Amino acid sequence: WLVDSAGLMSKPTLVMSASPGHTGGLRGVAALIPTLDVLGEVLLDPVTVSRSSVRIEPGGSITDETLRQRLQIALDDFRRALDYSMARSAVEL
């Protein structure tokens, strides 16, 4: 549904993955990025979380302070990119 709609064209996109393994879903992210690039998305640095089962509780609480900070930085960057994109779109209208 995204390929035909161009719904994400030129939109900031943050790819995140988590897995209990050591790569944090990196192979899945690496496979996804070329497709998103072809769709014309503005890709931010992806975030992968390795060993998620010991760093994130089942209810979603993050127990690793370094991970919490890393996620906060990624989300702040994403928020800034969205704000910029929305402001740019408003000017183009």
Side-chain angles (χ1 to χ4, degrees), residues 14-18 24 29 32 45-49 70-72 74-75:
L14 174 61
V15 176
M16 300 174 78
S17 70
V29 169
L32 181 61
D45 289 338
V47 175
T48 58
V49 179
R70 191 167 125 222
L71 292 173
Q72 188 62 57
L75 291 173

Side-chain angles (χ1 to χ4, degrees), residues 12 16 18 23 42 44 53 56 61 69-70 73-75 78 85 90 93:
M16 300 174 78
T23 63
V42 178
L44 282 73
S53 58
I56 303 171
S61 297
Q69 291 172 3
R70 191 167 125 222
I73 290 168
L75 291 173
F78 184 53
S85 176
L93 293 176

